[in-house]
Amino acid sequence: MDNQQQEIKIELTPEVAKGIYSNLAVITHGANEFFIDFITMAPNMLGAKVQSRIIMSPENAKNLLGALMENVKKYESTFGPILPKRPVNNGGNNGEIPNPFIMGGKA
């Protein structure tokens, strides 16, 4: 049996390559899948549409978590720590702003 790793050819179309901006994600799960909805919110908008939904197995969701953690560490070792932004004038919220990726969470 050949243990050499096969190269996977990945195609990136121009439409996908331009990407979709997201500043909010809602993550839910069932017994067999994780659902990640990427949303773009803008000031003074009453609602927002899901821009993209990714569905993955629990194992792949955990692999994604590990890959994100590893890449954040690499980013911070190159560019410095990523710090939460705080309103300059305290923003009326004790200086805390909501974390858009954790429901009810703090940045």
Side-chain angles (χ1 to χ4, degrees):
M1 188 167 180
D2 191 64
N3 287 336
Q4 290 183 338
Q5 196 172 12
Q6 288 187 325
E7 186 175 311
I8 298 172
K9 184 175 180 175
I10 298 173
E11 180 181 342
L12 183 63
T13 64
E15 296 81 20
V16 174
K18 67 180 178 179
I20 298 172
Y21 179 77
S22 173
N23 56 6
L24 175 65
V26 175
I27 303 170
T28 55
H29 64 275
N32 299 307
E33 303 89 17
F34 275 74
F35 298 83
I36 309 170
D37 292 332
F38 293 95
I39 301 160
T40 303
M41 293 282 300
N44 301 319
M45 285 183 62
L46 297 176
K49 288 184 182 177
V50 171
Q51 301 295 319
S52 182
R53 170 176 273 188
I54 304 297
I55 304 168
M56 18 176 65
S57 69
E59 294 84 1
N60 283 338
K62 190 169 185 176
N63 288 337
L64 175 63
L65 173 63
L68 281 170
M69 289 172 55
E70 180 179 326
N71 276 271
V72 167
K73 286 178 186 176
K74 288 178 182 178
Y75 176 95
E76 290 183 323
S77 70
T78 302
F79 299 105
I82 301 169
L83 302 173
K85 293 184 178 13
R86 302 279 186 223
V88 175
N89 63 1
N90 201 16
N93 252 354
N94 295 328
E96 294 183 352
I97 53 176
N99 183 332
F101 298 102
I102 301 174
M103 297 300 279
K106 302 286 188 236

XYZ file of all heavy atoms in Angstrom:
818
model
N 0.848 -1.179 0.000
C 0.000 0.000 0.000
C 0.892 1.240 0.000
O 1.847 1.333 0.751
C -0.912 -0.026 1.223
C -1.946 1.049 1.214
S -3.156 0.652 2.494
C -4.223 2.025 2.272
N 0.543 2.193 -0.813
C 1.341 3.399 -0.974
C 0.939 4.428 0.083
O -0.220 4.826 0.149
C 1.110 3.951 -2.385
C 2.084 5.045 -2.730
O 3.297 4.766 -2.807
O 1.624 6.170 -2.937
N 1.898 4.832 0.934
C 1.612 5.789 2.002
C 1.890 7.225 1.608
O 1.841 8.117 2.442
C 2.431 5.449 3.260
C 1.888 4.218 3.948
O 0.720 3.889 3.782
N 2.724 3.539 4.702
N 2.224 7.472 0.333
C 2.476 8.840 -0.099
C 1.171 9.619 -0.099
O 0.117 9.117 -0.484
C 3.097 8.863 -1.486
C 4.521 8.359 -1.517
C 5.109 8.470 -2.917
O 4.384 8.521 -3.885
N 6.424 8.491 -2.986
N 1.296 10.883 0.334
C 0.118 11.737 0.384
C -0.217 12.199 -1.030
O 0.652 12.640 -1.768
C 0.398 12.939 1.288
C -0.821 13.677 1.722
C -0.480 14.725 2.769
O 0.667 15.041 3.000
N -1.489 15.268 3.397
N -1.476 12.065 -1.413
C -1.908 12.508 -2.724
C -2.157 14.009 -2.703
O -2.698 14.546 -1.731
C -3.170 11.791 -3.156
C -2.947 10.349 -3.531
C -4.209 9.731 -4.108
O -5.305 10.048 -3.706
N -4.027 8.839 -5.062
N -1.773 14.669 -3.785
C -2.017 16.107 -3.912
C -3.448 16.318 -4.375
O -3.919 15.654 -5.303
C -1.036 16.698 -4.918
C -1.122 18.202 -4.991
C -0.058 18.772 -5.904
O 1.112 18.398 -5.751
O -0.418 19.574 -6.779
N -4.128 17.237 -3.723
C -5.506 17.556 -4.084
C -5.484 18.853 -4.875
O -4.925 19.863 -4.421
C -6.387 17.720 -2.832
C -6.429 16.416 -2.041
C -7.793 18.160 -3.224
C -7.117 16.540 -0.697
N -6.069 18.819 -6.044
C -6.153 20.021 -6.859
C -7.403 20.790 -6.433
O -8.516 20.277 -6.518
C -6.213 19.671 -8.343
C -6.195 20.889 -9.218
C -6.135 20.539 -10.679
C -6.125 21.819 -11.484
N -5.958 21.561 -12.910
N -7.193 22.009 -5.940
C -8.294 22.842 -5.464
C -8.530 23.957 -6.472
O -7.599 24.670 -6.839
C -7.975 23.425 -4.072
C -7.810 22.283 -3.066
C -9.061 24.396 -3.640
C -7.345 22.724 -1.709
N -9.767 24.091 -6.908
C -10.123 25.139 -7.868
C -10.767 26.306 -7.115
O -11.642 26.104 -6.268
C -11.106 24.596 -8.903
C -11.510 25.617 -9.930
C -12.506 25.077 -10.933
O -12.627 23.844 -11.057
O -13.176 25.888 -11.578
N -10.328 27.506 -7.431
C -10.881 28.722 -6.841
C -11.355 29.618 -7.973
O -10.550 30.225 -8.679
C -9.814 29.428 -5.994
C -10.242 30.683 -5.256
C -11.332 30.369 -4.231
C -9.050 31.320 -4.572
N -12.667 29.672 -8.154
C -13.219 30.495 -9.229
C -13.105 31.974 -8.863
O -13.041 32.319 -7.674
C -14.695 30.159 -9.482
O -15.452 30.492 -8.312
C -14.891 28.685 -9.820
N -13.106 32.863 -9.832
C -13.040 34.303 -9.525
C -14.189 34.772 -8.627
O -13.996 35.622 -7.757
C -13.110 34.964 -10.906
C -12.591 33.926 -11.854
C -13.022 32.611 -11.262
N -15.360 34.208 -8.802
C -16.509 34.615 -7.980
C -16.283 34.281 -6.508
O -16.598 35.054 -5.621
C -17.802 33.942 -8.470
C -18.231 34.344 -9.855
C -17.497 33.594 -10.968
O -16.934 32.500 -10.700
O -17.463 34.117 -12.079
N -15.739 33.095 -6.257
C -15.479 32.666 -4.886
C -14.238 33.374 -4.341
O -14.177 33.730 -3.164
C -15.338 31.132 -4.804
C -14.922 30.692 -3.411
C -16.659 30.463 -5.192
N -13.257 33.625 -5.189
C -11.996 34.237 -4.760
C -12.194 35.629 -4.183
O -11.446 36.042 -3.293
C -11.016 34.299 -5.934
N -13.195 36.368 -4.640
C -13.402 37.722 -4.106
C -13.929 37.685 -2.677
O -13.810 38.651 -1.943
C -14.308 38.547 -5.022
C -15.728 38.078 -5.092
C -16.539 38.949 -6.028
C -17.958 38.434 -6.131
N -18.774 39.252 -7.005
N -14.484 36.583 -2.249
C -14.907 36.417 -0.860
C -16.185 37.146 -0.502
O -16.722 37.921 -1.287
N -16.661 36.879 0.697
C -17.845 37.535 1.257
C -17.467 38.000 2.647
O -16.984 37.210 3.463
C -19.045 36.570 1.335
C -19.445 36.105 -0.062
C -20.224 37.214 2.050
C -20.494 35.016 -0.067
N -17.669 39.280 2.941
C -17.343 39.819 4.253
C -18.397 39.377 5.268
O -19.590 39.349 4.981
C -17.283 41.348 4.197
C -16.978 41.959 5.531
C -15.689 41.956 6.036
C -17.983 42.527 6.308
C -15.390 42.498 7.270
C -17.698 43.075 7.543
C -16.410 43.058 8.016
O -16.124 43.598 9.237
N -17.933 39.046 6.461
C -18.833 38.685 7.551
C -18.306 39.283 8.843
O -17.114 39.212 9.123
C -18.908 37.158 7.693
O -19.640 36.803 8.845
N -19.204 39.892 9.619
C -18.820 40.401 10.932
C -19.701 39.797 12.026
O -19.730 40.274 13.152
C -18.848 41.928 10.977
C -20.186 42.508 10.585
O -21.154 41.790 10.379
N -20.241 43.817 10.444
N -20.421 38.739 11.675
C -21.263 38.036 12.634
C -21.392 36.584 12.177
O -21.553 36.320 10.988
C -22.657 38.678 12.704
C -23.704 37.987 13.575
C -23.307 38.015 15.040
C -25.059 38.629 13.380
N -21.272 35.675 13.097
C -21.490 34.262 12.783
C -22.387 33.663 13.857
O -22.247 33.969 15.038
C -20.165 33.500 12.716
N -23.306 32.842 13.429
C -24.178 32.116 14.348
C -23.865 30.636 14.157
O -23.916 30.118 13.038
C -25.661 32.407 14.063
C -26.555 31.555 14.953
C -25.965 33.888 14.251
N -23.502 29.973 15.244
C -23.115 28.571 15.179
C -24.126 27.746 15.967
O -24.387 28.032 17.141
C -21.696 28.360 15.748
C -20.694 29.239 14.988
C -21.305 26.889 15.697
C -19.325 29.297 15.622
N -24.686 26.761 15.317
C -25.613 25.840 15.973
C -25.180 24.420 15.610
O -24.354 24.221 14.724
C -27.073 26.080 15.528
O -27.155 26.003 14.107
C -27.569 27.441 15.984
N -25.740 23.447 16.312
C -25.374 22.072 16.004
C -26.509 21.124 16.347
O -27.362 21.407 17.171
C -24.107 21.657 16.759
C -24.274 21.653 18.246
N -24.123 22.777 19.011
C -24.602 20.656 19.090
C -24.347 22.481 20.279
N -24.644 21.198 20.349
N -26.496 20.014 15.646
C -27.344 18.879 15.949
C -26.434 17.737 16.353
O -25.236 17.929 16.585
N -26.969 16.549 16.390
C -26.174 15.394 16.812
C -25.052 15.071 15.821
O -23.998 14.592 16.207
C -27.074 14.176 16.970
N -25.263 15.368 14.542
C -24.319 14.939 13.516
C -23.672 16.056 12.712
O -22.812 15.777 11.877
C -25.016 13.987 12.540
C -25.526 12.752 13.249
O -24.773 12.088 13.949
N -26.810 12.460 13.096
N -24.105 17.301 12.902
C -23.574 18.403 12.110
C -23.443 19.675 12.935
O -24.166 19.870 13.903
C -24.499 18.770 10.930
C -24.821 17.700 9.957
C -26.053 16.902 10.352
O -26.846 17.353 11.196
O -26.205 15.800 9.821
N -22.514 20.522 12.501
C -22.424 21.895 12.963
C -22.853 22.783 11.801
O -22.490 22.526 10.650
C -20.979 22.251 13.366
C -20.645 21.867 14.775
C -20.440 20.548 15.121
C -20.534 22.837 15.766
C -20.130 20.183 16.424
C -20.223 22.477 17.064
C -20.025 21.155 17.394
N -23.627 23.815 12.104
C -24.071 24.785 11.110
C -23.445 26.125 11.470
O -23.609 26.603 12.599
C -25.602 24.932 11.132
C -26.326 23.662 10.782
C -26.559 22.681 11.735
C -26.778 23.454 9.494
C -27.225 21.513 11.422
C -27.456 22.286 9.160
C -27.676 21.316 10.127
N -22.739 26.729 10.522
C -22.131 28.039 10.742
C -22.722 28.982 9.714
O -22.504 28.817 8.507
C -20.595 27.987 10.622
C -20.026 26.868 11.500
C -19.984 29.339 10.991
C -18.554 26.588 11.270
N -23.505 29.949 10.183
C -24.107 30.966 9.315
C -23.280 32.235 9.416
O -23.090 32.779 10.511
C -25.554 31.254 9.727
C -26.477 30.078 9.469
O -26.195 29.298 8.543
O -27.480 29.952 10.187
N -22.768 32.708 8.283
C -21.988 33.937 8.221
C -22.900 35.067 7.759
O -23.586 34.946 6.746
C -20.797 33.771 7.273
C -19.784 32.790 7.792
C -19.806 31.470 7.393
C -18.805 33.197 8.694
C -18.869 30.553 7.873
C -17.867 32.288 9.183
C -17.899 30.979 8.769
N -22.902 36.157 8.530
C -23.839 37.262 8.348
C -23.049 38.566 8.296
O -22.007 38.681 8.933
C -24.839 37.283 9.532
C -25.586 35.941 9.600
C -25.789 38.460 9.466
C -26.219 35.643 10.939
N -23.562 39.540 7.552
C -22.978 40.876 7.536
C -23.990 41.838 8.136
O -25.105 41.974 7.625
C -22.628 41.316 6.103
O -21.741 40.353 5.539
C -21.969 42.683 6.100
N -23.598 42.461 9.240
C -24.440 43.468 9.898
C -23.860 44.839 9.586
O -22.653 44.995 9.490
C -24.439 43.280 11.417
C -25.097 42.015 11.906
S -26.885 42.099 11.905
C -27.186 43.448 13.015
N -24.732 45.826 9.459
C -24.289 47.201 9.247
C -25.050 48.098 10.217
O -26.181 47.785 10.612
C -24.545 47.638 7.809
N -24.434 49.216 10.629
C -25.118 50.135 11.540
C -26.450 50.600 10.954
O -26.587 50.748 9.740
C -24.151 51.319 11.662
C -22.820 50.768 11.278
C -23.096 49.682 10.274
N -27.412 50.786 11.829
C -28.746 51.293 11.485
C -29.541 50.365 10.576
O -30.487 50.785 9.946
C -28.649 52.688 10.850
C -27.984 53.670 11.780
O -28.234 53.673 12.977
N -27.109 54.483 11.238
N -29.149 49.106 10.502
C -29.941 48.135 9.749
C -30.789 47.343 10.738
O -30.289 46.909 11.769
C -29.039 47.166 8.975
C -28.401 47.760 7.750
S -27.413 46.546 6.843
C -28.629 45.334 6.386
N -32.044 47.164 10.408
C -32.939 46.440 11.304
C -32.791 44.931 11.181
O -33.194 44.189 12.055
C -34.385 46.853 11.031
C -34.699 48.330 11.296
C -36.139 48.636 10.907
C -34.444 48.680 12.753
N -32.244 44.483 10.080
C -32.078 43.052 9.898
C -30.843 42.766 9.073
O -30.168 43.668 8.594
N -30.552 41.500 8.915
C -29.407 41.088 8.113
C -29.689 39.709 7.547
O -30.404 38.909 8.143
C -28.143 41.075 8.967
N -29.120 39.442 6.380
C -29.295 38.149 5.728
C -28.069 37.291 5.948
O -26.954 37.784 6.013
C -29.485 38.340 4.221
C -30.812 38.924 3.832
C -30.906 38.965 2.316
C -32.226 39.601 1.895
N -32.307 39.721 0.432
N -28.307 35.989 6.014
C -27.201 35.041 6.032
C -26.548 35.108 4.649
O -27.212 34.965 3.629
C -27.686 33.606 6.341
C -26.581 32.597 6.153
C -28.253 33.536 7.758
N -25.239 35.352 4.624
C -24.497 35.443 3.375
C -24.029 34.069 2.900
O -23.942 33.815 1.713
C -23.278 36.361 3.547
C -23.621 37.773 3.968
C -24.418 38.508 2.907
O -24.145 38.401 1.730
N -25.421 39.244 3.342
N -23.725 33.195 3.872
C -23.225 31.870 3.534
C -23.462 30.944 4.721
O -23.368 31.370 5.866
C -21.726 31.953 3.226
O -21.219 30.705 2.851
N -23.773 29.698 4.443
C -23.929 28.682 5.488
C -22.983 27.532 5.180
O -22.952 27.013 4.079
C -25.364 28.164 5.549
C -25.509 26.934 6.464
C -26.923 26.479 6.612
N -27.511 27.232 7.714
C -28.699 26.986 8.236
N -29.453 26.044 7.750
N -29.138 27.720 9.239
N -22.217 27.153 6.189
C -21.321 26.017 6.071
C -21.823 24.944 7.030
O -22.108 25.233 8.195
C -19.865 26.405 6.433
C -19.378 27.564 5.567
C -18.939 25.195 6.344
C -19.318 27.273 4.086
N -21.935 23.731 6.543
C -22.379 22.598 7.360
C -21.218 21.611 7.404
O -20.681 21.244 6.359
C -23.633 21.924 6.773
C -24.758 22.961 6.596
C -24.086 20.762 7.646
C -25.926 22.454 5.769
N -20.810 21.220 8.608
C -19.700 20.285 8.739
C -19.972 19.253 9.820
O -20.775 19.467 10.719
C -18.361 20.968 9.019
C -18.354 22.344 9.522
S -16.711 22.997 9.915
C -15.908 23.035 8.378
N -19.237 18.152 9.710
C -19.317 17.110 10.730
C -18.666 17.626 12.018
O -17.850 18.546 11.974
C -18.587 15.848 10.257
O -17.186 16.095 10.218
N -19.019 17.047 13.172
C -18.369 17.460 14.421
C -16.847 17.339 14.359
O -16.127 18.214 14.849
C -18.960 16.518 15.473
C -20.298 16.144 14.912
C -20.086 16.072 13.419
N -16.341 16.272 13.736
C -14.887 16.099 13.634
C -14.255 17.216 12.814
O -13.209 17.762 13.192
C -14.551 14.738 12.994
C -14.963 13.555 13.849
C -16.434 13.140 13.678
O -17.176 13.741 12.881
O -16.849 12.203 14.373
N -14.882 17.584 11.692
C -14.337 18.656 10.870
C -14.467 20.012 11.551
O -13.596 20.871 11.396
C -14.987 18.675 9.494
C -14.458 17.583 8.595
O -13.368 17.064 8.812
N -15.224 17.215 7.583
N -15.525 20.210 12.327
C -15.663 21.466 13.078
C -14.527 21.590 14.089
O -13.937 22.669 14.256
C -17.024 21.523 13.777
N -14.190 20.493 14.755
C -13.089 20.517 15.722
C -11.757 20.746 15.005
O -10.896 21.477 15.501
C -13.058 19.219 16.527
C -12.110 19.278 17.702
C -12.301 18.097 18.621
C -11.427 18.239 19.852
N -11.646 17.156 20.806
N -11.574 20.142 13.834
C -10.364 20.388 13.046
C -10.270 21.855 12.630
O -9.188 22.445 12.636
C -10.330 19.487 11.805
C -10.059 18.046 12.152
O -9.494 17.730 13.196
N -10.471 17.142 11.275
N -11.403 22.451 12.248
C -11.423 23.869 11.891
C -11.038 24.735 13.089
O -10.247 25.667 12.963
C -12.808 24.280 11.375
C -12.997 25.776 11.089
C -12.067 26.257 9.979
C -14.453 26.060 10.737
N -11.568 24.409 14.261
C -11.219 25.134 15.481
C -9.711 25.100 15.716
O -9.084 26.132 15.969
C -11.955 24.532 16.688
C -11.575 25.068 18.066
C -11.911 26.550 18.182
C -12.255 24.267 19.147
N -9.116 23.926 15.600
C -7.672 23.801 15.789
C -6.891 24.600 14.759
O -5.902 25.267 15.079
N -7.332 24.558 13.495
C -6.644 25.293 12.435
C -6.754 26.798 12.660
O -5.783 27.539 12.452
C -7.228 24.912 11.076
N -7.913 27.271 13.097
C -8.072 28.703 13.397
C -7.169 29.119 14.557
O -6.512 30.167 14.499
C -9.534 29.030 13.734
C -10.485 29.173 12.562
C -11.922 29.247 13.059
C -10.139 30.398 11.739
N -7.121 28.303 15.612
C -6.264 28.627 16.759
C -4.797 28.692 16.328
O -4.072 29.614 16.711
C -6.475 27.601 17.874
C -7.828 27.734 18.555
S -8.226 26.402 19.725
C -6.845 26.436 20.816
N -4.365 27.726 15.516
C -2.979 27.700 15.053
C -2.662 28.930 14.199
O -1.612 29.552 14.343
C -2.736 26.427 14.241
C -1.327 26.292 13.721
C -1.126 24.999 12.931
O -1.748 23.973 13.287
O -0.362 25.045 11.965
N -3.598 29.302 13.327
C -3.366 30.450 12.456
C -3.400 31.772 13.211
O -2.660 32.699 12.877
C -4.360 30.447 11.295
C -3.885 29.557 10.172
O -3.177 30.007 9.282
N -4.240 28.279 10.237
N -4.237 31.890 14.236
C -4.232 33.106 15.059
C -2.898 33.233 15.785
O -2.311 34.319 15.853
C -5.423 33.122 16.052
C -5.248 34.202 17.110
C -6.731 33.335 15.302
N -2.374 32.129 16.310
C -1.058 32.158 16.976
C 0.028 32.608 16.006
O 0.877 33.427 16.346
C -0.713 30.781 17.556
C -1.495 30.434 18.794
C -1.138 29.034 19.289
C -2.025 28.644 20.450
N -1.776 27.267 20.893
N 0.023 32.079 14.779
C 1.003 32.479 13.768
C 0.856 33.961 13.426
O 1.845 34.676 13.289
C 0.841 31.640 12.499
C 1.304 30.208 12.647
C 1.062 29.433 11.358
C 1.462 27.989 11.491
N 1.181 27.215 10.262
N -0.378 34.419 13.277
C -0.639 35.829 12.969
C -0.077 36.715 14.078
O 0.628 37.683 13.819
C -2.149 36.055 12.820
C -2.515 37.505 12.587
C -2.704 37.989 11.294
C -2.683 38.390 13.655
C -3.035 39.309 11.073
C -3.008 39.707 13.441
C -3.186 40.167 12.151
O -3.507 41.488 11.936
N -0.400 36.363 15.336
C 0.044 37.182 16.471
C 1.561 37.147 16.630
O 2.156 38.140 17.050
C -0.657 36.741 17.752
C -2.131 37.098 17.752
C -2.846 36.732 19.043
O -2.522 35.681 19.640
O -3.730 37.515 19.450
N 2.204 36.046 16.288
C 3.665 36.011 16.395
C 4.308 36.900 15.337
O 5.411 37.403 15.526
C 4.195 34.584 16.290
O 4.053 34.084 14.980
N 3.609 37.141 14.231
C 4.128 38.016 13.175
C 3.733 39.476 13.385
O 4.563 40.373 13.261
C 3.600 37.552 11.796
O 3.993 36.201 11.582
C 4.126 38.429 10.677
N 2.465 39.728 13.733
C 1.930 41.088 13.763
C 1.634 41.617 15.167
O 1.257 42.771 15.324
C 0.650 41.172 12.933
C 0.861 40.827 11.481
C 0.448 39.604 10.975
C 1.488 41.714 10.616
C 0.642 39.273 9.645
C 1.687 41.400 9.285
C 1.261 40.173 8.798
N 1.759 40.783 16.185
C 1.450 41.200 17.545
C 0.059 40.739 17.946
O -0.713 40.241 17.132
N -0.255 40.917 19.248
C -1.534 40.407 19.755
C -2.740 41.098 19.125
O -2.692 42.278 18.815
C -1.479 40.690 21.258
C -0.307 41.568 21.482
C 0.551 41.550 20.272
N -3.772 40.323 18.947
C -5.055 40.855 18.489
C -5.816 41.265 19.747
O -6.139 40.419 20.583
C -5.849 39.799 17.702
C -5.056 39.325 16.487
C -7.214 40.353 17.301
C -5.646 38.101 15.807
N -6.084 42.541 19.887
C -6.766 43.049 21.074
C -8.172 43.500 20.714
O -8.380 44.079 19.641
C -5.979 44.227 21.664
C -4.532 43.910 22.065
C -3.810 45.186 22.460
C -4.513 42.902 23.189
N -9.147 43.266 21.603
C -10.507 43.741 21.336
C -10.523 45.265 21.259
O -9.829 45.938 22.015
C -11.331 43.265 22.529
C -10.454 42.354 23.311
C -9.042 42.564 22.881
N -11.294 45.774 20.331
C -11.442 47.227 20.218
C -12.413 47.713 21.294
O -13.405 47.068 21.580
C -11.942 47.601 18.842
C -10.921 47.309 17.759
C -11.404 47.772 16.419
C -10.454 47.576 15.284
N -9.322 46.771 15.398
N -12.101 48.842 21.887
C -12.942 49.441 22.925
C -13.370 50.831 22.477
O -12.570 51.560 21.881
C -12.159 49.584 24.237
C -11.604 48.284 24.778
C -12.668 47.526 25.519
N -12.089 46.343 26.154
C -12.667 45.185 26.145
N -13.816 45.029 25.563
N -12.110 44.162 26.729
N -14.600 51.216 22.760
C -15.018 52.580 22.418
C -14.149 53.603 23.141
O -13.789 53.417 24.304
C -16.465 52.653 22.925
C -16.898 51.232 23.036
C -15.658 50.432 23.344
N -13.802 54.692 22.445
C -12.933 55.722 23.006
C -13.606 56.420 24.183
O -12.995 56.652 25.217
C -12.554 56.757 21.912
C -11.748 57.899 22.503
C -11.781 56.073 20.810
N -14.887 56.731 24.066
C -15.590 57.487 25.110
C -16.416 56.584 26.017
O -17.425 57.006 26.556
C -16.464 58.573 24.482
C -17.553 57.972 23.611
O -17.660 56.765 23.491
N -18.354 58.822 23.000
N -16.005 55.349 26.153
C -16.660 54.367 27.025
C -17.963 53.849 26.429
O -18.520 52.894 26.923
C -16.879 54.921 28.437
C -17.069 53.819 29.473
O -16.754 52.670 29.224
N -17.569 54.177 30.625
N -18.494 54.491 25.410
C -19.642 53.983 24.677
C -20.878 53.671 25.488
O -21.789 53.060 24.990
N -20.928 54.050 26.751
C -22.097 53.782 27.572
C -22.275 52.330 27.949
O -23.313 51.925 28.440
N -21.266 51.517 27.740
C -21.371 50.074 28.003
C -20.245 49.597 28.899
O -19.789 48.473 28.767
C -21.303 49.310 26.681
C -22.628 48.719 26.281
O -23.589 48.778 27.026
N -22.664 48.163 25.094
N -19.766 50.428 29.805
C -18.627 50.089 30.656
C -17.408 49.685 29.831
O -16.605 48.868 30.248
C -18.972 48.966 31.637
C -20.034 49.382 32.621
O -20.117 50.545 32.986
N -20.842 48.435 33.041
N -17.319 50.245 28.613
C -16.185 49.944 27.762
C -16.242 48.594 27.090
O -15.336 48.221 26.366
N -17.302 47.827 27.316
C -17.407 46.506 26.712
C -18.276 46.573 25.465
O -19.283 47.271 25.432
C -18.000 45.507 27.701
C -17.096 45.238 28.885
C -17.664 44.196 29.822
O -18.826 43.785 29.638
O -16.945 43.786 30.735
N -17.867 45.864 24.464
C -18.672 45.742 23.262
C -18.987 44.270 23.064
O -18.207 43.400 23.452
C -17.946 46.321 22.022
C -16.549 45.709 21.862
C -17.856 47.823 22.094
C -15.815 46.154 20.628
N -20.152 43.961 22.491
C -20.511 42.553 22.338
C -19.594 41.848 21.351
O -19.147 42.427 20.373
C -21.949 42.602 21.819
C -22.241 44.003 21.492
C -21.153 44.869 22.020
N -19.291 40.588 21.633
C -18.541 39.756 20.712
C -19.545 39.211 19.700
O -20.454 38.469 20.065
C -17.864 38.609 21.463
C -17.008 37.748 20.570
O -17.260 37.628 19.374
N -15.991 37.152 21.144
N -19.396 39.557 18.410
C -20.409 39.151 17.432
C -20.413 37.659 17.133
O -21.283 37.185 16.428
C -20.024 39.956 16.186
C -18.577 40.223 16.340
C -18.336 40.343 17.822
N -19.452 36.910 17.663
C -19.392 35.490 17.376
C -19.804 34.632 18.561
O -19.775 33.423 18.509
C -17.975 35.111 16.906
C -17.622 35.842 15.637
C -16.809 36.943 15.653
C -18.154 35.441 14.429
C -16.511 37.629 14.483
C -17.864 36.113 13.249
C -17.044 37.208 13.280
N -20.202 35.277 19.662
C -20.695 34.547 20.836
C -21.992 35.224 21.260
O -21.994 36.394 21.619
C -19.692 34.590 22.009
C -18.349 33.973 21.591
C -20.252 33.879 23.229
C -17.272 34.103 22.649
N -23.079 34.482 21.218
C -24.369 35.062 21.602
C -24.310 35.526 23.054
O -24.021 34.750 23.951
C -25.504 34.044 21.433
C -25.693 33.606 19.986
S -26.101 34.977 18.878
C -27.827 35.127 19.187
N -24.526 36.836 23.267
C -24.492 37.406 24.612
C -23.095 37.527 25.158
O -22.913 37.852 26.328
N -22.084 37.278 24.320
C -20.697 37.297 24.790
C -20.085 38.686 24.785
O -20.631 39.616 24.209
N -18.986 38.815 25.445
C -18.245 40.080 25.525
C -16.939 39.902 24.763
O -16.328 38.848 24.784
C -17.946 40.469 26.974
C -19.190 40.599 27.833
C -19.941 41.852 27.492
C -21.062 42.083 28.481
N -22.354 42.205 27.923
N -16.529 40.969 24.112
C -15.262 40.935 23.370
C -14.104 40.984 24.340
O -14.206 41.406 25.446
C -15.191 42.102 22.389
